[in-house]
């Protein structure tokens, strides 16, 4: 994944004629922290050794920003790639952060609440010197949530001796979390559906939408899509997908998952595999779970005319080529899912100012930023005659390179 991210950067840097000195620096992360720490499960006598990472790609623009993922196979390359993508993402929506990402190599689905809390507090202690409200601000990502952010905030606050809400975003509103942060990534994706449809001459109302995923991003994308008048025909999780051509009742599927943990067994739809979901006949496909799902094996089966990437890096380089040949309109992750970090920025601003906004204000500002970012990227794609992913990278890289060149070199 890291080689793919660097390869993609090199290709675009070359295309834009980027200053060679700046390019050499931007293709690697500025600071990478790897930690190993002991962890005891509730019922085990043994002590396991757990690996954790925090990678900060760029400190030129302000503090670094990015989520923390808990997954059994997370590794340094993945986290470094995602930290780089966060830099471009922040620059595309114009929030004053550089990119970062963290990870803990553990399966959160196998942990009790107490275990999840212990892992989180110990990992936070291990990285405590590299994070801070003016330094590096974590947020949720795959396998983490508001509660995990609350424990992180509490651990950091205990360490410094006073409450520091701005250390983390995506925390519960009771601790200084922003209203509408939880739904932000999903909503942001749905805001872009009419613009994407317009770009290919399709009426952007009442479209059939299939969503791969039903978690932090997919669930709220499904709710937002339904509220916007689209028909959500399928969603999925690791247990498989559910499909109903007449539309899934999203609140009832959400309730089922709250009670049964997985979509498996949900009665009011047909059951399909995740691969089948990706190949469904629909207008819009939203991959909103893990990386690499649209690849050489699956890309040829995609029938959607529009893909809006909710997950980070859901399409491999080979998958991307196949989709481009088939003229699928792709709204790339670094633009499409930037609603999350945008409301994270709002949350940080509110925490620093200790002045909180209403839901209407927050959502209106999110919509304004997302739709403008789409228009900017789309104009670049037309003027430079490139696909949307390349256009998004050009916009992100250019903003960062401009800032680096005026800051100059120390000493
Ligand atoms: N993890 C999310 C992302 O990949 C959110 C990051 C943030 O809010 O800082 O964009």
């Amino acid at each position: 994944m890291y080689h793919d991210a660097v390869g993609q950067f090199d290709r675009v840097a070359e295309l834009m004629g980027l200053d060679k000195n700046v390019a050499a620096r931007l293709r690697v992360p500025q600071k990478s922290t790897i930690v190993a720490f002991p962890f005891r499960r509730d019922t085990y006598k043994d002590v396991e050794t757990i690996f954790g990472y925090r990678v900060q790609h760029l400190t030129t623009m302000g503090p670094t920003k990015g989520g923390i993922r808990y997954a059994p196979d997370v590794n340094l390359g993945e986290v470094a790639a995602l930290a780089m993508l966060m830099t471009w993402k922040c620059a595309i929506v114009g929030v004053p952060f550089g990119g970062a990402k963290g990870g803990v190599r553990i399966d959160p689905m196998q942990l009790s609440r107490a275990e999840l809390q212990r892992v989180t507090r110990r990992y936070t202690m291990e990285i405590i010197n590299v994070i801070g409200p003016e330094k590096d601000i974590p947020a949720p990502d795959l396998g983490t949530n508001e509660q995990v952010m609350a424990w992180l905030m509490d651990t950091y606050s205990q360490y410094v001796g006073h409450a520091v809400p701005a250390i983390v975003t995506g925390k519960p509103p009771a601790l200084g979390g922003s209203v509408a942060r939880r739904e932000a990534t999903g909503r942001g994706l749905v805001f872009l559906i009419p613009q994407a449809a317009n770009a290919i001459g399709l009426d952007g109302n009442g479209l059939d939408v299939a969503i791969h995923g039903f978690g932090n991003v997919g669930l709220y994308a499904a709710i937002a899509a339904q509220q916007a008048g689209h028909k959500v025909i399928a969603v999925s999780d690791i247990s498989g997908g559910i499909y109903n051509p007449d539309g899934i009742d999203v609140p009832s599927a959400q309730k089922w998952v709250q009670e049964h943990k997985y979509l498996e067994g949900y009665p009011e739809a047909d059951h399909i595999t995740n691969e089948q979901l990706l190949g469904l006949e629909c207008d819009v496909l939203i991959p909103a779970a893990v990386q690499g799902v649209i690849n050489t094996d699956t890309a040829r089966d995609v029938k959607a005319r529009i893909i809006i990437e909710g997950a980070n890096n859901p399409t491999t380089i080979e998958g991307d080529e196949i989709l481009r040949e088939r003229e699928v309109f792709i709204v790339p992750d670094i633009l499409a899912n930037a609603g999350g970090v945008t409301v994270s920025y709002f949350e940080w601003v509110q925490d620093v100012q200790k002045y909180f906004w209403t839901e209407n204000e927050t959502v209106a500002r999110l919509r304004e930023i997302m739709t403008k970012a789409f228009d900017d990227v789309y104009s670049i794609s037309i003027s430079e005659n490139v696909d949307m992913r390349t256009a998004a990278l050009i916009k992100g890289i250019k903003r960062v390179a401009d800032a680096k060149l005026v800051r100059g070199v120390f000493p």
Side-chain angles (χ1 to χ4, degrees), residues 65-67 86 89 101 137 139-141 169 181 312 337 340-341 344:
K65 188 85 193 77
M86 280 307 302
K89 191 186 299 186
K101 192 70 88 181
I137 307 141
D141 198 85
T169 60
R181 171 62 186 89
N312 287 314
N337 72 27
V341 79
S344 276

Side-chain angles (χ1 to χ4, degrees), residues 67-220:
I68 292 172
R69 54 174 52 187
Y70 288 0
D73 53 357
V74 73
N75 57 68
L76 182 63
E78 175 180 335
V79 173
L82 293 167
M84 183 189 281
L85 293 182
M86 280 307 302
T87 294
W88 318 139
K89 191 186 299 186
C90 292
I92 289 166
V93 283
V95 300
F97 299 131
K101 192 70 88 181
V104 177
R105 201 176 171 93
I106 199 158
D107 184 355
M109 296 301 269
Q110 307 296 329
L111 299 180
S112 69
R113 185 181 160 89
E115 289 168 341
L116 191 61
Q117 177 164 182
R118 284 203 296 280
V119 161
T120 301
R121 289 187 182 279
R122 180 64 190 247
Y123 167 69
T124 305
M125 266 324 282
E126 295 290 336
I127 61 163
I128 208 133
N129 289 319
V130 299
I131 58 172
E134 296 297 335
K135 220 192 231 177
D136 180 17
I137 307 141
D141 198 85
L142 212 74
T144 58
N145 56 22
E146 284 182 11
Q147 178 60 72
V148 170
M149 296 306 116
W151 290 324
L152 197 157
M153 179 269 182
D154 182 69
T155 306
Y156 187 87
S157 301
Q158 295 293 344
Y159 180 76
V160 297
H162 56 92
V164 187
I167 178 60
V168 78
T169 60
K171 59 192 167 291
L175 288 181
S178 176
V179 288
R181 171 62 186 89
R182 194 187 303 163
E183 303 86 357
T185 313
R187 268 197 182 130
L189 301 167
V190 172
F191 285 158
L192 302 185
I193 292 178
Q195 283 164 293
N198 205 16
I200 58 165
L202 194 69
D203 178 358
N205 296 308
L207 298 179
D208 282 3
V209 181
I211 302 176
H212 179 262
F214 203 52
N216 291 350
V217 179
L219 167 63
Y220 298 104

Side-chain angles (χ1 to χ4, degrees), residues 8 38 43 74 98 184 214 298 366:
Q8 207 173 48
T43 52
V74 73
F214 203 52
T298 56
L366 170 66

Side-chain angles (χ1 to χ4, degrees), residues 236-257:
S236 68
D237 63 18
I238 50 169
S239 75
I242 57 170
Y243 169 59
N244 184 345
D246 298 325
I248 304 270
D249 179 357
V250 177
S252 119
Q254 179 185 16
K255 189 157 170 273
W256 179 269
V257 171

